[in-house]
Amino acid sequence: MKRRNFLTLSTGLGAGAALAACGTSGPAGGGGTAKAGEASYWFLSGPPGESVRTGAVERFNKANPNGQIKLTAFQNDAYKDKLKTALGAGQPPTIIWGWGGGGLKSYVDGGQVDDLTDWFGQNAAVKDRLFPASFGPATINGKIYAMPAETVQPIVLFYNKQVFADAGLTPPQSWGEIMDLVPKFNAKGIAPFSLGGQSRWTNMMWLEFLFDRIGGPSVFGDVFEGKANAWSNPLAIDALTKIQDLIKADGFVKGFSSITADSNADQALLYKGKAAMMLHGSWSYGIIQAQGGSFIADGKLGYMNFPGVDGGKGDPNDTVGNAGQYLSISSKASAEQKEIAKKFFTSLLDDTEQSDWIKTGGVPIIKGADAKLASSPDADFLKFVYGVASNAKVFAQSWDQALSPTAAETLLSNISKLFTQSIGPQQFADNMNAVIGK
């Protein structure tokens, strides 16, 4: 996975992409057109997820001949437009695959998906086996509108153990230590942090953690809830100021704003020893494993959760990223289709599916999945990810997913300006306050 495969949908990119579908079932199969005894299910095509999702459907269909799931896989850029068109025409799939947050809220506001709160109350065993934090992006106005599924992908602070050892330095345990390390690495000709800044969402991860570590989850929570002038919270201004302090101190590799994450050049800077650290998604492990030669096998890759900020209100055990993927049920589906979908939900993340996700380098959002990780050649890292996800009281959703597409694009644009220092903290806050609730 070269980048978070959920980015395009949450920001509304690729709107002009062809609405082509992949898979044997073709582009049909909406909730209004599925046959009797059949529920339709749309999701993303491509590795590593498509084969795992398809396997889950095939096992369900084999066990339930009188209540089948008809699946359709779409290419990433086409999915959002296809789904939007289907929802507008009143013919969405029975089961809608997504990432919760802002996208799910738009479905809820439009009355397009069912409230599953009572169903989870009646099926406590289904809910209780999942990571509690996975329900955050599935919950809108205190009610659950989606089934958490698949894997967890926290943002991780990676570091090059060899670079630290050669420099006689230790990984940072606080924001103050991060700032102390910056001049020491720069003096040795090593970039303190790699960053693919041209991609914008990579910069966003820094702000997500600083907001959380300084002020706790309520600071961005006020933005998500639409509180007027929430971006002007003094704790938010402090976080925005701190990231510019890091930029001004040459905390990031020179030319970071022209480096794209899609190229994996930011990853290469870390494993080639050109940069000491990198804040990135847990999927980076697979990229480095595939492209970094023996770097991981030689024990040179270190990883940790983002440290606390001295005097901050946030819990350093909390994290941010992708707490899972989410399946909603269309309100347009028939009663029979809805029952098939709910039965399918109870079958998800069985032992076979868990093993399939682990083979892709993913950590299923199931309590106790760590017992299955031991046999993986990547057990140490997978157990680390499991620990981060299961110990987090709050697993915050990436901001560009949590916000509406309009606000998300404004956010990414202003983050880019903040990191190039063409605007300051207060201007950033003013610009973002203007799109709260939009």
Side-chain angles (χ1 to χ4, degrees):
M1 182 187 291
K2 290 191 177 181
R3 66 181 286 166
R4 302 174 309 155
N5 64 3
F6 46 78
L7 177 72
T8 17
L9 304 195
S10 57
T11 60
L13 298 178
L19 304 184
C22 301
T24 57
S25 55
T33 59
K35 297 181 295 185
E38 182 179 82
S40 52
Y41 175 26
W42 292 2
F43 54 69
L44 290 194
S45 63
E50 183 177 3
S51 63
V52 182
R53 295 174 194 127
T54 300
V57 170
E58 289 175 346
R59 287 190 299 277
F60 176 83
N61 285 344
K62 185 176 181 179
N64 297 275
N66 296 321
Q68 300 279 287
I69 300 287
K70 181 181 181 181
L71 59 86
T72 309
F74 292 92
Q75 293 177 349
N76 192 344
D77 289 347
Y79 181 73
K80 180 188 175 186
D81 292 319
K82 178 64 178 176
L83 186 57
K84 181 178 180 180
T85 300
L87 286 165
Q91 292 190 331
T94 308
I95 302 171
I96 301 171
W97 185 97
W99 300 274
L104 179 59
K105 185 175 186 298
S106 69
Y107 303 154
V108 172
D109 291 345
Q112 296 168 322
V113 294
D114 277 4
D115 180 353
L116 300 176
T117 309
D118 289 344
W119 182 79
F120 276 111
Q122 296 159 9
N123 294 270
V126 175
K127 183 178 181 181
D128 291 347
R129 65 194 292 259
L130 304 176
F131 288 161
S134 70
F135 282 89
T139 304
I140 307 295
N141 299 325
K143 296 188 176 183
I144 303 170
Y145 288 90
M147 169 75 183
E150 302 187 4
T151 63
V152 62
Q153 297 173 325
I155 305 304
V156 176
L157 182 57
F158 294 95
Y159 60 95
N160 187 318
K161 291 182 179 180
Q162 187 68 55
V163 166
F164 271 88
D166 290 346
L169 299 170
T170 56
Q173 300 304 309
S174 68
W175 179 256
E177 290 185 16
I178 284 178
M179 294 301 294
D180 288 343
L181 285 171
V182 168
K184 295 175 182 178
F185 279 119
N186 278 327
K188 296 178 180 297
I190 297 169
F193 289 96
S194 177
L195 180 65
Q198 186 175 325
S199 297
R200 306 185 304 177
W201 56 266
T202 44
N203 306 345
M204 179 181 66
M205 296 186 288
W206 282 89
L207 293 181
E208 289 167 342
F209 271 117
L210 281 172
F211 270 56
D212 177 81
R213 297 299 190 254
I214 291 171
S218 65
V219 181
F220 181 74
D222 287 345
V223 174
F224 181 72
E225 295 297 331
K227 183 177 178 180
N229 298 315
W231 290 100
S232 294
N233 184 322
L235 297 173
I237 298 298
D238 185 18
L240 295 166
T241 301
K242 278 183 167 57
I243 194 60
Q244 285 205 323
D245 288 344
L246 180 61
I247 295 166
K248 291 172 183 175
D250 293 327
F252 298 111
V253 64
K254 291 181 180 178
F256 70 84
S257 61
S258 62
I259 299 173
T260 65
D262 284 351
S263 69
N264 294 333
D266 49 353
Q267 317 274 348
L269 289 169
L270 182 74
Y271 63 72
K272 290 182 178 180
K274 304 293 185 182
M277 296 169 279
M278 176 183 71
L279 186 65
H280 220 307
S282 58
W283 58 87
S284 294
Y285 184 91
I287 295 172
I288 295 172
Q289 188 178 55
Q291 301 180 356
S294 62
F295 183 73
I296 290 178
D298 292 343
K300 295 180 180 179
L301 180 65
Y303 35 83
M304 58 185 286
N305 204 355
F306 195 89
V309 173
D310 296 330
K313 299 179 180 179
D315 184 344
N317 288 316
D318 289 343
T319 191
V320 84
N322 193 13
Q325 291 72 50
Y326 297 90
L327 307 181
S328 298
I329 297 177
S330 168
S331 58
K332 293 286 188 180
S334 68
E336 181 184 29
Q337 289 169 334
K338 291 179 181 181
E339 286 308 308
I340 295 171
K342 290 172 182 175
K343 190 172 184 179
F344 176 59
F345 288 176
T346 66
S347 75
L348 292 174
L349 287 171
D350 59 8
D351 286 344
T352 300
E353 186 181 352
Q354 289 183 55
S355 296
D356 287 346
W357 283 118
I358 291 169
K359 289 173 185 175
T360 72
V363 174
I365 59 168
I366 293 286
K367 296 174 184 175
D370 54 333
K372 294 182 173 64
L373 305 179
S375 60
S376 169
D378 305 304
D380 289 346
F381 180 73
L382 294 176
K383 287 180 178 179
F384 161 76
V385 171
Y386 178 89
V388 168
S390 59
N391 292 327
K393 293 185 180 67
V394 177
F395 194 126
Q397 190 177 28
S398 292
W399 289 355
D400 56 348
Q401 296 175 62
L403 297 176
S404 70
T406 298
E409 178 55 34
T410 302
L411 170 70
L412 292 170
S413 176
N414 279 277
I415 284 176
S416 179
K417 294 174 184 176
L418 184 77
F419 271 66
T420 57
Q421 302 181 71
S422 59
I423 60 173
Q426 190 58 57
Q427 185 64 58
F428 177 94
D430 291 345
N431 293 348
M432 290 309 304
N433 283 334
V435 295
I436 285 179
K438 294 184 179 178

